[in-house]
Amino acid sequence: YMTAFPCETLQAQSWNIPLLEEIGQAAGNEMKEIGVTVWLAPGMNLHRNPLCGRNFEYCSEDPVVAGKTGAALVRGIQSMHIGAELKHFACNNKETNRKESDSRLSERALREIYLKGFEIVVKEAKPYLVMSSYNLINGVRASENKELLTNILRDEWGFEGLVTTDWYTHGEHYKEVKAGNDIKMGRGFADRLMQAYREGALSREEMETSVRRLLHVIMKMD
């Protein structure tokens, strides 16, 4: 009952930024009609292998092309006060064993290749949400990675929105909150958070920070 827009790969091949903004606006308008307020897109990971099961969700093998086209989609949909959720942050390079795979790479490769598209979208389009990825990066789960979710995303790039996990991650909930993940999807573990709080592993301030970000994003949506 909604328009089947071309996949992001085909959209990016148009090299047509105004057109992509129109697609975002049209998608946002349809989402309003059915009462959905967050679009789980665009995907900013790179095409590293033609057999990757999520290539249709990703724009390109080039981070600049991905970033510029992704930013256009975000601007378009958020002009309708519908939240765009940038994903999968970061280094989601394959579909098999996504929850336990470990992406090993240098910091230079990470910043110049794998994070660059995300950085462009965050700085140029200010998405409401970011979704962290299942995988590990150099031995640390992306959803528990404070360097990625706080130091880089928020402190360096100026992201002011909400970070969620991907659905049913294998990360420990309280460690994800401490790293900068505000919501665990599709459900969290309140008992584990409270246990961590009672044991001094998680502070009330850290939990309130996540709640404040959630309310801030909710206030932006129609």
Side-chain angles (χ1 to χ4, degrees):
Y1 53 90
M2 296 183 70
T3 301
F5 292 104
C7 71
E8 286 183 30
T9 306
L10 185 56
Q11 292 179 29
Q13 289 173 345
S14 74
W15 295 71
N16 192 326
I17 298 301
L19 177 62
L20 295 181
E21 291 189 14
E22 289 184 24
I23 290 174
Q25 291 170 354
N29 188 54
E30 291 191 8
M31 292 174 68
K32 278 189 171 183
E33 291 178 359
I34 64 171
V36 177
T37 54
V38 175
W39 190 34
L40 302 182
M44 283 292 104
N45 298 102
L46 300 181
H47 294 171
R48 293 190 68 247
N49 186 310
L51 300 180
C52 176
R54 290 297 180 98
N55 277 350
F56 68 95
E57 284 192 286
Y58 302 147
C59 296
S60 173
E61 75 284 1
D62 182 272
V64 175
V65 173
K68 293 294 185 179
T69 53
L73 289 168
V74 171
R75 286 194 298 269
I77 196 162
Q78 292 188 169
S79 70
M80 307 301 294
H81 302 288
I82 296 293
E85 182 158 15
L86 210 58
K87 65 181 187 183
H88 301 89
F89 192 61
C91 300
N92 180 69
N93 299 326
K94 64 176 185 176
E95 192 69 12
T96 303
N97 194 31
R98 291 173 72 203
K99 294 185 179 182
E100 296 298 335
S101 64
D102 189 356
S103 300
R104 301 284 178 115
L105 69 168
S106 68
E107 183 174 359
R108 180 175 181 179
L110 179 68
R111 287 178 174 272
E112 294 185 359
I113 300 174
Y114 295 95
L115 296 186
K116 181 56 66 176
F118 290 95
E119 180 182 4
I120 292 170
V121 178
V122 168
K123 290 182 175 180
E124 294 189 2
K126 302 186 184 305
Y128 293 176
L129 303 96
V130 167
M131 181 191 297
S132 60
S133 55
Y134 287 124
N135 53 279
L136 295 82
I137 302 173
N138 294 332
V140 180
R141 293 190 181 279
S143 64
E144 298 176 356
N145 195 323
K146 187 172 183 178
E147 175 70 19
L148 182 69
L149 303 180
T150 297
N151 298 357
I152 294 176
L153 178 63
R154 291 191 166 99
D155 295 344
E156 290 189 26
W157 298 351
F159 178 70
E160 297 179 346
L162 187 72
V163 175
T164 81
T165 69
D166 207 336
W167 267 240
Y168 306 107
T169 62
H170 289 176
E172 177 59 53
H173 194 173
Y174 84 89
K175 292 181 180 179
E176 292 173 336
V177 173
K178 291 181 72 69
N181 252 306
D182 303 303
I183 298 178
K184 189 176 184 72
M185 303 299 292
R187 68 179 183 89
F189 298 96
D191 55 336
R192 296 186 191 179
L193 291 183
M194 292 308 299
Q195 180 182 354
Y197 170 68
R198 288 191 295 268
E199 295 177 357
L202 181 67
S203 69
R204 180 186 179 96
E205 181 182 7
E206 288 169 323
M207 290 187 283
E208 288 180 344
T209 296
S210 290
V211 173
R212 183 164 55 250
R213 291 170 181 155
L214 172 62
L215 295 175
H216 181 69
V217 168
I218 288 174
M219 294 300 292
K220 292 182 177 181
M221 299 176 185
D222 287 346

